[in-house]
Amino acid sequence: MNTICGWKVLYLHLQWCVCSIVRLSLLEIRVVLLLHSFVFGLCPGPTQKMNLFQSVTSALDNTLASDPTAVIFGEDVAFGGVFRCTVGLRDKYGKDRVFNTPLCEQGIVGFGIGLAVAGATAIAEIQFADYIFPAFDQIVNEAAKYRYRSGNLFDCGNLTIRAPWGCVGHGALYHSQSPEAFFAHCPGIKIVIPRSPVQAKGLLLSCIIDKNPCIFFEPKILYRAAVEQVPMESYQIPLSQAEVLQEGSDITLLAWGTQVHVMREVAAMAQEKLGVSCEVIDLRTIQPWDIETVCKSVVKTGRLLVSHEAPVTGGFAAEISSTVQEECFLNLEAPITRVCGYDTPFPHIFEPFYIPDKWKCFDAVKRMINY
Amino acid sequence: TCPPQQALLTREEGLKYYRIMQTVRRMELKADQLYKQKIIRGFCHLYDGQEACAMGIEAGINPTDHLITAYRAHGYTFTRGVPVKEILAELTGRRGGVAKGKGGSMHMYAKNFYGGNGIVGAQVPLGAGVALACQYLGNNEICVTLYGDGAANQGQIFESFNMASLWKLPCIFICENNKYGMGTSVERASASTDYYKRGDFIPGLRVDGMDVLCVREATKFAADFCRAGKGPILMELQTYRYHGHSMSDPGVSYRTREEIQEVRSKSDPISMLKERMLSTSMASVEELKEIDVEVRKEIEDAAQFATTDPEPPLEELCNHIFHNDSPLEVRGTNPWSKLKSVS
């Protein structure tokens, strides 16, 4: 299942690179140690040390170079963007290809849909995922349904929307949200969330090439904190394929974006303190998600913990839980547990209590093992 | 008809405006300091340079009138009646804050002051709605709805203009044009920078937002216009902010230091008022200095409160989500942890 456009997964070489979390205090994530990642695809070539925003710039650079119809637009992208994801692109490719829009999210996405339908590769930036809601109608009612309603005469597959996502330590209500669940409910769009620079570049390039409208959420806390050796040339990581980061036998820990790093710490804690062997999976594509990999893992371990920052009710973990219990009911040793944000707006001063940190997840692992 | 070309300033008014504007100025500077010390975290959008707008508007309306603005809201929070210590405590996220520490910089509220809104442009339809309530209740009150030059390009602004004009709502739309929407200058963002004309069928005034008396007279004129049932009116206040967009913006990558200095020396609202009062002998240098000293002390005390007041208790995390008669259970990060929510 899940071979995109005839891709087979190739292990070309193991990249030992610099990306992991040393200290996950309540308010900071500092990313320093080693984590290996597998590069899927052809010819990774020479690499360069890049953080997450630089890897995004690299992906966009490759795209603008190889695709003459590609354009990047959004608020403040011309000078480089508020998170520096588009630094240098305007100077290199010209102001007709990298340009600012006024402050109008609905307009940005609507405009992007039009561009995409007419044949250009449109890469729209929404400045924070929290601001995507004025554009919600355009995404859900226009972009997602274009191909379906026109009987495949038209489509806006050339559209990719990028937005910074997730908590950042001090973002409060409107700079911390994780809205993937709202869009997962809408057939017709793909949602992708990377956990690291190497993943981000490969997944973003896949989104841009993919013939469906895609939303690419970039964990903003990792923009500077995550650093890896990233291939400078173009490469793709297949969509709708989850990645097993660490094999285990007792419990499956599933997450995406920043939370994957929390899960890795929890796995280490569980091994050390409880002797529990954890299988850690990064979902990567939220919709359509890799049901097979997750279910295979749950069949093996019998326990599933899903974790995300977004509020627990109606969060994407709910969909995963429901599907997994349908497929793997008899294999389950314990109820599927979700460790997620509270059902409140994302708080200002209470953020450290709100987020599903490693201790809450570790506690959940303990309970599931002892069920 | 248009606003009068002359204004009358009494000594009491002058001293009052001076004190209020100086308080807002010093409060914003103190917030800057606390932010750099990491006592205030998160987002902080400072209002220094624009004090004449908040003061002039407040002087032109009644306390029973309504006001709503965007995220650069500390000045309005003060002019609408919230003490400095509650504003600073809200910035530091303490229980003594005006929103119990749960809102932060962009979400401060008071009676007849609807905040403090983070999403750009979202407050304008809300303001039109408040104006409708005033009309419906027939209480002769109006609503002042503020937005910035960046927000002026949002679709919902024009939706509000249409509704307000169609139904003749008593709404004063005010565009605070400080020339930069974050880092984008008005010329690069707007096809038309005549923000006072953007209301099309709504009459518009362009006002010097650095002169508190100009703002006051224009606001009085606009308020009378609305109260007479003539429908909405639009005002553009041309003003300037000294700080960057927020505390993470140094404010000099898209404009020159010379520009900022020029505005400070030629059009600073507090200096202009001070000079007016001194040159007409309405007040002495010592009197104004005394006000400065008192203001400084007030701010220091407020900052002391804001740094020592305790944070809100953990139970507050889940309170006030819904209106509920008996406590509601809020699901938490784990299936076995639930907190109670009360309202």
Side-chain angles (χ1 to χ4, degrees):
Chain A
M1 186 184 153
N2 284 342
T3 52
I4 301 286
C5 304
W7 284 100
K8 291 266 160 65
V9 167
L10 297 174
Y11 283 44
L12 276 210
H13 58 264
L14 253 144
Q15 287 258 19
W16 289 98
C17 41
V18 185
C19 175
S20 162
I21 295 166
V22 156
R23 178 169 72 100
L24 232 178
S25 75
L26 291 177
L27 296 172
E28 292 173 20
I29 292 184
R30 242 185 234 126
V31 187
V32 173
L33 275 184
L34 286 177
L35 166 94
H36 61 260
S37 87
F38 298 91
V39 178
F40 293 73
L42 301 175
C43 309
T47 67
Q48 193 183 347
K49 188 159 112 165
M50 295 187 208
N51 58 29
L52 192 77
F53 72 72
Q54 288 166 335
S55 71
V56 169
T57 315
S58 177
L60 296 174
D61 194 343
N62 292 143
T63 305
L64 288 169
S66 60
D67 179 353
T69 71
V71 284
I72 300 175
F73 51 94
E75 292 159 23
D76 300 307
V77 300
F79 85 96
V82 288
F83 290 108
R84 306 177 66 73
C85 294
T86 47
V87 170
L89 297 178
R90 185 181 170 93
D91 291 334
K92 197 166 167 187
Y93 295 101
K95 60 182 168 50
D96 55 337
R97 295 185 72 189
V98 179
F99 53 91
N100 284 338
T101 60
L103 215 169
C104 45
E105 287 73 21
Q106 185 173 26
I108 292 170
V109 174
F111 176 82
I113 294 172
L115 253 185
V117 171
T121 300
I123 304 166
E125 177 180 303
I126 298 290
Q127 198 156 81
F128 280 86
D130 314 56
Y131 307 159
I132 205 166
F133 299 108
F136 195 78
D137 173 73
Q138 284 288 341
I139 296 171
V140 163
N141 277 334
E142 307 297 324
K145 300 176 165 66
Y146 222 118
R147 191 190 291 275
Y148 189 90
R149 72 188 183 197
S150 67
N152 209 23
L153 260 179
F154 288 99
D155 70 84
C156 53
N158 293 328
L159 175 66
T160 305
I161 301 170
R162 295 176 35 243
W165 167 102
C167 80
V168 70
H170 53 267
L173 285 81
Y174 299 111
H175 296 80
S176 316
Q177 290 178 47
S178 312
E180 68 271 11
F182 292 105
F183 297 100
H185 188 57
C186 175
I189 38 175
K190 294 197 176 182
I191 307 160
V192 179
I193 306 179
R195 67 169 187 275
S196 77
V198 170
Q199 295 290 313
K201 178 166 168 171
L203 289 168
L204 179 56
L205 285 167
S206 295
C207 284
I208 293 171
I209 290 183
D210 192 279
K211 295 197 186 347
N212 294 294
C214 296
I215 305 182
F216 187 75
F217 287 124
E218 300 161 2
K220 62 176 86 69
I221 201 172
L222 297 180
Y223 272 137
R224 284 182 194 270
V227 181
E228 275 184 318
Q229 289 288 123
V230 180
M232 286 157 69
E233 287 179 28
S234 194
Y235 64 95
Q236 289 170 54
I237 295 180
L239 299 185
S240 294
Q241 269 198 28
E243 187 179 350
V244 178
L245 297 185
Q246 181 181 309
E247 301 217 5
S249 53
D250 299 326
I251 181 170
T252 303
L253 306 179
L254 175 63
W256 48 90
T258 322
Q259 200 66 6
V260 173
H261 302 290
V262 177
M263 287 294 133
R264 289 187 62 97
E265 264 205 70
V266 174
M269 279 163 70
Q271 180 68 62
E272 188 195 314
K273 298 193 191 197
L274 306 172
V276 164
S277 155
C278 302
E279 181 144 303
V280 179
I281 302 184
D282 176 5
L283 194 62
R284 303 200 297 193
T285 302
I286 308 305
Q287 187 70 292
W289 62 287
D290 187 354
I291 301 178
E292 191 176 313
T293 303
V294 176
C295 286
K296 258 173 53 181
S297 173
V298 177
V299 163
K300 183 170 73 168
T301 63
R303 296 174 183 85
L304 177 63
L305 174 76
V306 191
S307 184
H308 57 64
E309 289 163 18
V312 60
T313 298
F316 199 65
E319 176 62 33
I320 296 174
S321 297
S322 182
T323 305
V324 170
Q325 65 87 30
E326 274 170 23
E327 302 288 328
C328 312
F329 186 71
L330 293 174
N331 301 95
L332 290 173
E333 301 283 331
I336 300 175
T337 303
R338 300 177 285 163
V339 181
C340 307
Y342 283 85
D343 282 337
T344 72
F346 199 100
H348 169 226
I349 192 78
F350 293 115
E351 179 168 334
F353 296 106
Y354 175 95
I355 52 173
D357 59 23
K358 64 185 180 189
W359 299 109
K360 292 177 178 154
C361 297
F362 180 68
D363 194 30
V365 168
K366 262 203 335 209
R367 286 186 192 234
M368 287 174 77
I369 293 295
N370 295 326
Y371 185 78
Chain B
T1 55
C2 66
Q5 299 288 328
Q6 287 185 324
L8 182 66
L9 178 71
T10 67
R11 191 182 121 85
E12 289 76 41
E13 282 170 349
L15 290 174
K16 183 174 105 172
Y17 300 163
Y18 182 81
R19 179 184 290 272
I20 291 177
M21 293 204 289
Q22 189 70 291
T23 309
V24 173
R25 173 69 59 93
R26 295 246 67 92
M27 177 177 75
E28 296 298 79
L29 294 178
K30 177 55 78 176
D32 170 285
Q33 191 186 29
L34 290 174
Y35 195 93
K36 289 178 176 147
Q37 293 174 322
K38 297 203 182 210
I39 299 172
I40 295 178
R41 303 200 67 216
F43 296 87
C44 193
H45 308 88
L46 298 178
Y47 198 67
D48 52 319
Q50 299 185 213
E51 297 86 358
C53 297
M55 185 64 250
I57 291 172
E58 192 59 34
I61 58 174
N62 304 326
T64 47
D65 289 324
H66 308 265
L67 192 140
I68 187 171
T69 183
Y71 47 76
R72 202 173 298 280
H74 307 161
Y76 289 100
T77 315
F78 181 68
T79 54
R80 287 261 96 191
V82 178
V84 180
K85 76 173 200 197
E86 282 181 36
I87 298 176
L88 288 180
E90 185 61 37
L91 288 174
T92 54
R94 309 300 165 104
R95 61 179 77 185
V98 60
K100 304 186 176 61
K102 292 171 74 165
S105 165
M106 296 190 277
H107 309 108
M108 301 192 190
Y109 303 83
K111 187 165 196 315
N112 295 341
F113 173 56
Y114 304 85
N117 292 280
I119 301 296
V120 171
Q123 74 279 7
V124 179
L126 265 72
V130 172
L132 176 63
C134 297
Q135 185 189 63
Y136 187 82
L137 296 171
N139 49 26
N140 204 33
E141 290 163 13
I142 57 164
C143 183
V144 178
T145 304
L146 292 122
Y147 58 96
D149 45 282
N153 297 318
Q154 276 275 328
Q156 41 196 335
I157 311 285
F158 298 95
E159 291 180 14
S160 310
F161 287 166
N162 184 49
M163 287 192 280
S165 199
L166 197 57
W167 301 324
K168 294 218 177 328
L169 302 181
C171 188
I172 307 177
F173 293 104
I174 302 186
C175 177
E176 275 181 297
N177 177 3
N178 59 17
K179 304 197 178 37
Y180 298 95
M182 230 163 65
T184 305
S185 68
V186 293
E187 296 79 37
R188 291 194 298 128
S190 300
S192 160
T193 54
D194 291 330
Y195 293 100
Y196 68 107
K197 288 189 190 165
R198 292 282 207 92
D200 193 8
F201 34 78
I202 298 181
L205 291 173
R206 168 173 270 167
V207 180
D208 177 2
M210 304 304 261
D211 183 343
V212 64
L213 292 178
C214 279
V215 179
R216 184 187 78 180
E217 291 309 310
T219 309
K220 274 195 188 149
F221 175 82
D224 292 338
F225 185 90
C226 286
R227 280 188 238 276
K230 296 184 188 165
I233 187 168
L234 180 56
M235 265 166 59
E236 177 190 341
L237 300 181
Q238 294 194 308
T239 181
Y240 200 83
R241 53 167 162 83
Y242 297 146
H243 269 87
H245 162 75
S246 70
M247 286 307 298
S248 46
D249 172 21
V252 288
S253 50
Y254 48 86
R255 54 185 189 175
T256 59
R257 284 186 205 276
E258 288 75 42
E259 182 187 292
I260 306 174
Q261 263 312 106
E262 202 188 325
V263 177
R264 253 192 222 277
S265 52
K266 297 215 181 101
S267 337
D268 181 272
I270 299 177
S271 304
M272 283 196 344
L273 178 64
K274 182 169 174 180
E275 257 187 56
R276 270 203 179 121
M277 295 192 42
L278 290 178
S279 61
T280 53
S281 307
M282 258 208 257
S284 65
V285 178
E286 292 78 32
E287 260 186 305
L288 296 182
K289 264 216 174 56
E290 210 188 296
I291 295 182
D292 287 348
V293 167
E294 284 169 16
V295 165
R296 245 177 245 268
K297 173 145 195 337
E298 187 186 343
I299 304 293
E300 276 310 311
D301 291 344
Q304 183 60 20
F305 175 74
T307 40
T308 53
D309 200 40
E311 287 170 2
L314 182 55
E315 295 72 60
E316 274 293 325
L317 169 63
C318 293
N319 286 346
H320 306 298
I321 300 172
F322 289 107
H323 175 268
N324 35 264
D325 293 313
S326 47
L328 168 72
E329 269 191 352
V330 173
R331 298 161 92 192
T333 53
N334 286 322
W336 49 87
S337 81
K338 290 187 174 51
L339 292 183
K340 289 255 182 289
S341 167
V342 285
S343 278

mmCIF file of all heavy atoms in Angstrom, chain A residues 180-199:
data_model
loop_
_atom_site.group_PDB
_atom_site.id
_atom_site.type_symbol
_atom_site.label_atom_id
_atom_site.label_comp_id
_atom_site.label_asym_id
_atom_site.label_seq_id
_atom_site.Cartn_x
_atom_site.Cartn_y
_atom_site.Cartn_z
ATOM 1 N N GLU A 180 -4.807 21.141 12.371
ATOM 2 C CA GLU A 180 -4.882 20.079 11.352
ATOM 3 C C GLU A 180 -6.204 19.325 11.366
ATOM 4 O O GLU A 180 -6.674 18.880 10.317
ATOM 5 C CB GLU A 180 -3.706 19.101 11.487
ATOM 6 C CG GLU A 180 -3.697 18.226 12.730
ATOM 7 C CD GLU A 180 -2.981 18.882 13.900
ATOM 8 O OE1 GLU A 180 -2.673 20.082 13.812
ATOM 9 O OE2 GLU A 180 -2.743 18.193 14.905
ATOM 10 N N ALA A 181 -6.820 19.209 12.542
ATOM 11 C CA ALA A 181 -8.054 18.418 12.633
ATOM 12 C C ALA A 181 -9.201 19.041 11.842
ATOM 13 O O ALA A 181 -10.045 18.329 11.285
ATOM 14 C CB ALA A 181 -8.453 18.247 14.090
ATOM 15 N N PHE A 182 -9.245 20.370 11.800
ATOM 16 C CA PHE A 182 -10.320 21.022 11.047
ATOM 17 C C PHE A 182 -10.257 20.634 9.578
ATOM 18 O O PHE A 182 -11.278 20.414 8.921
ATOM 19 C CB PHE A 182 -10.193 22.549 11.122
ATOM 20 C CG PHE A 182 -10.445 23.132 12.481
ATOM 21 C CD1 PHE A 182 -9.403 23.589 13.259
ATOM 22 C CD2 PHE A 182 -11.736 23.231 12.980
ATOM 23 C CE1 PHE A 182 -9.633 24.138 14.509
ATOM 24 C CE2 PHE A 182 -11.970 23.776 14.229
ATOM 25 C CZ PHE A 182 -10.912 24.229 14.994
ATOM 26 N N PHE A 183 -9.014 20.577 9.045
ATOM 27 C CA PHE A 183 -8.862 20.305 7.619
ATOM 28 C C PHE A 183 -8.906 18.819 7.312
ATOM 29 O O PHE A 183 -9.262 18.421 6.203
ATOM 30 C CB PHE A 183 -7.548 20.907 7.117
ATOM 31 C CG PHE A 183 -7.526 22.396 7.248
ATOM 32 C CD1 PHE A 183 -6.869 23.002 8.301
ATOM 33 C CD2 PHE A 183 -8.200 23.184 6.338
ATOM 34 C CE1 PHE A 183 -6.882 24.385 8.451
ATOM 35 C CE2 PHE A 183 -8.217 24.568 6.472
ATOM 36 C CZ PHE A 183 -7.557 25.159 7.536
ATOM 37 N N ALA A 184 -8.558 17.987 8.300
ATOM 38 C CA ALA A 184 -8.591 16.547 8.078
ATOM 39 C C ALA A 184 -10.008 16.083 7.789
ATOM 40 O O ALA A 184 -10.222 15.075 7.118
ATOM 41 C CB ALA A 184 -8.053 15.825 9.313
ATOM 42 N N HIS A 185 -10.950 16.859 8.266
ATOM 43 C CA HIS A 185 -12.356 16.503 8.104
ATOM 44 C C HIS A 185 -12.851 16.789 6.689
ATOM 45 O O HIS A 185 -13.994 16.490 6.344
ATOM 46 C CB HIS A 185 -13.173 17.304 9.121
ATOM 47 C CG HIS A 185 -14.602 16.910 9.211
ATOM 48 N ND1 HIS A 185 -14.991 15.626 9.498
ATOM 49 C CD2 HIS A 185 -15.730 17.627 9.041
ATOM 50 C CE1 HIS A 185 -16.315 15.573 9.514
ATOM 51 N NE2 HIS A 185 -16.786 16.757 9.226
ATOM 52 N N CYS A 186 -11.999 17.391 5.846
ATOM 53 C CA CYS A 186 -12.442 17.799 4.523
ATOM 54 C C CYS A 186 -11.760 16.982 3.441
ATOM 55 O O CYS A 186 -10.557 17.119 3.225
ATOM 56 C CB CYS A 186 -12.107 19.279 4.349
ATOM 57 S SG CYS A 186 -12.479 19.882 2.712
ATOM 58 N N PRO A 187 -12.496 16.106 2.761
ATOM 59 C CA PRO A 187 -11.865 15.325 1.692
ATOM 60 C C PRO A 187 -11.454 16.226 0.543
ATOM 61 O O PRO A 187 -12.175 17.153 0.174
ATOM 62 C CB PRO A 187 -12.991 14.374 1.246
ATOM 63 C CG PRO A 187 -14.021 14.439 2.303
ATOM 64 C CD PRO A 187 -13.916 15.793 2.917
ATOM 65 N N GLY A 188 -10.295 15.952 0.003
ATOM 66 C CA GLY A 188 -9.860 16.734 -1.156
ATOM 67 C C GLY A 188 -8.568 17.489 -0.933
ATOM 68 O O GLY A 188 -7.964 17.969 -1.897
ATOM 69 N N ILE A 189 -8.155 17.629 0.332
ATOM 70 C CA ILE A 189 -6.874 18.301 0.581
ATOM 71 C C ILE A 189 -5.977 17.368 1.361
ATOM 72 O O ILE A 189 -6.443 16.527 2.112
ATOM 73 C CB ILE A 189 -7.025 19.597 1.394
ATOM 74 C CG1 ILE A 189 -8.098 19.438 2.471
ATOM 75 C CG2 ILE A 189 -7.278 20.785 0.542
ATOM 76 C CD1 ILE A 189 -8.205 20.634 3.363
ATOM 77 N N LYS A 190 -4.659 17.564 1.180
ATOM 78 C CA LYS A 190 -3.695 16.768 1.926
ATOM 79 C C LYS A 190 -3.050 17.639 2.988
ATOM 80 O O LYS A 190 -2.837 18.840 2.772
ATOM 81 C CB LYS A 190 -2.616 16.228 0.985
ATOM 82 C CG LYS A 190 -3.157 15.231 -0.011
ATOM 83 C CD LYS A 190 -2.052 14.406 -0.655
ATOM 84 C CE LYS A 190 -2.678 13.365 -1.552
ATOM 85 N NZ LYS A 190 -1.685 12.495 -2.182
ATOM 86 N N ILE A 191 -2.741 17.030 4.120
ATOM 87 C CA ILE A 191 -2.128 17.786 5.214
ATOM 88 C C ILE A 191 -0.851 17.075 5.624
ATOM 89 O O ILE A 191 -0.878 15.868 5.892
ATOM 90 C CB ILE A 191 -3.051 17.831 6.429
ATOM 91 C CG1 ILE A 191 -4.420 18.344 6.013
ATOM 92 C CG2 ILE A 191 -2.472 18.712 7.522
ATOM 93 C CD1 ILE A 191 -5.476 17.982 6.995
ATOM 94 N N VAL A 192 0.236 17.843 5.676
ATOM 95 C CA VAL A 192 1.536 17.243 5.955
ATOM 96 C C VAL A 192 2.240 18.047 7.035
ATOM 97 O O VAL A 192 2.225 19.281 6.991
ATOM 98 C CB VAL A 192 2.397 17.224 4.672
ATOM 99 C CG1 VAL A 192 3.759 16.635 4.946
ATOM 100 C CG2 VAL A 192 1.695 16.432 3.588
ATOM 101 N N ILE A 193 2.876 17.338 7.995
ATOM 102 C CA ILE A 193 3.582 18.039 9.074
ATOM 103 C C ILE A 193 4.938 17.363 9.302
ATOM 104 O O ILE A 193 4.981 16.201 9.703
ATOM 105 C CB ILE A 193 2.761 18.008 10.377
ATOM 106 C CG1 ILE A 193 1.356 18.556 10.124
ATOM 107 C CG2 ILE A 193 3.466 18.806 11.471
ATOM 108 C CD1 ILE A 193 0.454 18.561 11.333
ATOM 109 N N PRO A 194 6.047 18.053 9.066
ATOM 110 C CA PRO A 194 7.370 17.453 9.222
ATOM 111 C C PRO A 194 7.876 17.564 10.655
ATOM 112 O O PRO A 194 7.375 18.398 11.418
ATOM 113 C CB PRO A 194 8.236 18.294 8.295
ATOM 114 C CG PRO A 194 7.626 19.654 8.409
ATOM 115 C CD PRO A 194 6.134 19.439 8.595
ATOM 116 N N ARG A 195 8.887 16.746 10.989
ATOM 117 C CA ARG A 195 9.445 16.844 12.337
ATOM 118 C C ARG A 195 10.872 17.406 12.355
ATOM 119 O O ARG A 195 11.423 17.663 13.433
ATOM 120 C CB ARG A 195 9.485 15.454 12.982
ATOM 121 C CG ARG A 195 10.479 14.526 12.302
ATOM 122 C CD ARG A 195 10.716 13.250 13.089
ATOM 123 N NE ARG A 195 11.794 12.484 12.472
ATOM 124 C CZ ARG A 195 11.638 11.633 11.453
ATOM 125 N NH1 ARG A 195 10.446 11.437 10.936
ATOM 126 N NH2 ARG A 195 12.673 10.994 10.944
ATOM 127 N N SER A 196 11.481 17.566 11.166
ATOM 128 C CA SER A 196 12.887 17.951 11.165
ATOM 129 C C SER A 196 13.219 18.558 9.807
ATOM 130 O O SER A 196 12.436 18.443 8.867
ATOM 131 C CB SER A 196 13.739 16.706 11.388
ATOM 132 O OG SER A 196 13.810 15.960 10.192
ATOM 133 N N PRO A 197 14.386 19.190 9.691
ATOM 134 C CA PRO A 197 14.748 19.829 8.416
ATOM 135 C C PRO A 197 14.795 18.866 7.224
ATOM 136 O O PRO A 197 14.255 19.173 6.160
ATOM 137 C CB PRO A 197 16.141 20.404 8.704
ATOM 138 C CG PRO A 197 16.156 20.660 10.154
ATOM 139 C CD PRO A 197 15.315 19.587 10.769
ATOM 140 N N VAL A 198 15.423 17.714 7.389
ATOM 141 C CA VAL A 198 15.505 16.769 6.257
ATOM 142 C C VAL A 198 14.104 16.354 5.833
ATOM 143 O O VAL A 198 13.764 16.319 4.649
ATOM 144 C CB VAL A 198 16.333 15.521 6.644
ATOM 145 C CG1 VAL A 198 16.209 14.452 5.570
ATOM 146 C CG2 VAL A 198 17.776 15.888 6.843
ATOM 147 N N GLN A 199 13.274 16.062 6.814
ATOM 148 C CA GLN A 199 11.891 15.673 6.516
ATOM 149 C C GLN A 199 11.142 16.825 5.861
ATOM 150 O O GLN A 199 10.387 16.646 4.904
ATOM 151 C CB GLN A 199 11.176 15.281 7.811
ATOM 152 C CG GLN A 199 11.724 14.049 8.485
ATOM 153 C CD GLN A 199 11.412 12.808 7.703
ATOM 154 O OE1 GLN A 199 10.278 12.614 7.275
ATOM 155 N NE2 GLN A 199 12.403 11.970 7.478
#
